[in-house]
Amino acid sequence: MNHLRYAIVFLPLFLMYLFLKGGSFAVGLLYRLIYSMLRLHRRLDDEILAVQHAKRIIVIGSPGSGKTFLAKRLSKWTHLPYISLDDLYWGPEWRRSTDKQFFKQLDEVLEKEEWIIEGNYHDYYFTERLQRSDTIIVMDVSTIEAITGVITRSLNRFLFSKELPKEIEQKAVRIWDISPRFVRFVVGFRRRIRPKIWPIIMQYENQRSLIILKSKYRSCLWMNSR
């Protein structure tokens, strides 16, 4: 009976996961095709050059925008240490770090000479991260793309125990680790959060290598052009 109940829950979610991943793969192929037709190689070459010479990269944007995927791939490509702000913030069983603990860990990371820091956390050392970085990558994706990414990530966590903060074990994962409040945050990100952080980011437009990606699929072109 328990196996039957598990199958009833697991199968629809697994089919949804396959649908979203398949759709993501198709959109990625379409994006590459459109790019090859538009011939924007000079802009792509400038972005690749900036990333190749970077020592301290921050990747910021809405939840579900593809920050983690991009940062991990860049870490493998550039051999820079990968740092997730979620790993610093979340402890076992989804326990939050205190502000003092989080600031201490983040401050230690920022003092290092090489890293890729991934995560938004605009209320925590946001300006300090921008100042310390030499390359800023903004995942400025649409709300639909962000929501799709959040759902896919949640399914990945529940079905396969992937994309979890390193201190969290599988037993702590709920079927949906996204609450209505979190969904409202993602839906309202471009309307409420983006206007707050955008002017701050633009202050560094001429001081840092600033790369703005309107889709997570845009970064895949870097890997294909190496």
Side-chain angles (χ1 to χ4, degrees):
M1 182 61 70
N2 289 335
H3 291 293
L4 179 60
R5 289 177 181 174
Y6 184 77
I8 291 173
V9 173
F10 182 89
L11 185 58
L13 293 178
F14 183 67
L15 292 175
M16 182 189 297
Y17 176 81
L18 290 179
F19 174 77
L20 291 174
K21 293 296 284 187
S24 177
F25 180 74
V27 172
L29 289 178
L30 181 62
Y31 202 95
R32 292 185 183 93
L33 177 62
I34 293 175
Y35 171 81
S36 64
M37 296 172 61
L38 293 178
R39 298 181 179 180
L40 300 174
H41 294 285
R42 177 173 295 181
R43 180 180 174 185
L44 180 64
D45 291 342
D46 290 342
E47 293 172 351
I48 293 175
L49 188 64
V51 171
Q52 285 178 331
H53 289 83
K55 296 297 182 184
R56 294 179 297 278
I57 303 173
I58 61 172
V59 184
I60 54 182
S62 166
S65 60
K67 300 186 300 296
T68 301
F69 178 77
L70 171 60
K72 286 183 175 179
R73 293 189 71 180
L74 287 180
S75 178
K76 292 180 180 179
W77 179 21
T78 61
H79 304 292
L80 297 174
Y82 164 76
I83 306 294
S84 168
L85 295 184
D86 279 346
D87 289 344
L88 303 183
Y89 187 74
W90 293 105
E93 299 182 1
W94 296 103
R95 286 200 300 267
R96 291 179 172 87
S97 299
T98 64
D99 285 353
K100 183 178 180 180
Q101 292 171 331
F102 186 66
F103 284 138
K104 182 178 182 296
Q105 293 183 87
L106 183 53
D107 195 44
E108 290 174 354
V109 170
L110 291 176
E111 289 179 357
K112 297 178 180 179
E113 290 302 316
E114 294 185 346
W115 37 253
I116 296 177
I117 298 178
E118 168 266 316
N120 203 43
Y121 291 81
H122 61 281
D123 292 328
Y124 295 91
Y125 275 13
F126 188 68
T127 301
E128 287 80 358
R129 277 181 275 150
L130 293 172
Q131 291 175 342
R132 187 74 177 113
S133 68
D134 56 40
T135 302
I136 303 168
I137 301 177
V138 183
M139 306 297 290
D140 192 33
V141 308
S142 68
T143 301
I144 293 177
E145 191 170 324
I147 285 292
T148 302
V150 165
I151 294 173
T152 304
R153 181 182 66 187
S154 186
L155 288 169
N156 231 344
R157 288 175 171 177
F158 175 68
L159 297 173
F160 310 111
S161 191
K162 293 181 178 180
E163 297 189 56
L164 287 165
K166 63 182 180 181
E167 294 295 331
I168 297 176
E169 298 178 358
Q170 185 175 2
K171 62 181 181 182
V173 182
R174 300 180 294 275
I175 183 171
W176 284 124
D177 61 325
I178 47 178
S179 64
R181 180 181 178 184
F182 182 66
V183 172
R184 288 196 299 271
F185 175 81
V186 178
V187 171
F189 187 89
R190 293 186 66 83
R191 185 175 68 257
R192 293 194 294 267
I193 306 302
R194 188 179 184 275
K196 294 180 181 179
I197 65 175
W198 203 256
I200 303 174
I201 295 171
M202 288 298 107
Q203 292 177 12
Y204 296 88
E205 183 177 10
N206 298 319
Q207 304 172 29
R208 305 289 188 272
S209 296
L210 176 60
I211 301 172
I212 300 173
L213 302 178
K214 292 295 184 180
S215 172
K216 60 186 176 184
Y217 304 106
R218 179 74 174 79
S219 63
C220 296
L221 302 173
W222 299 346
M223 309 305 166
N224 296 334
S225 301
R226 284 189 292 159

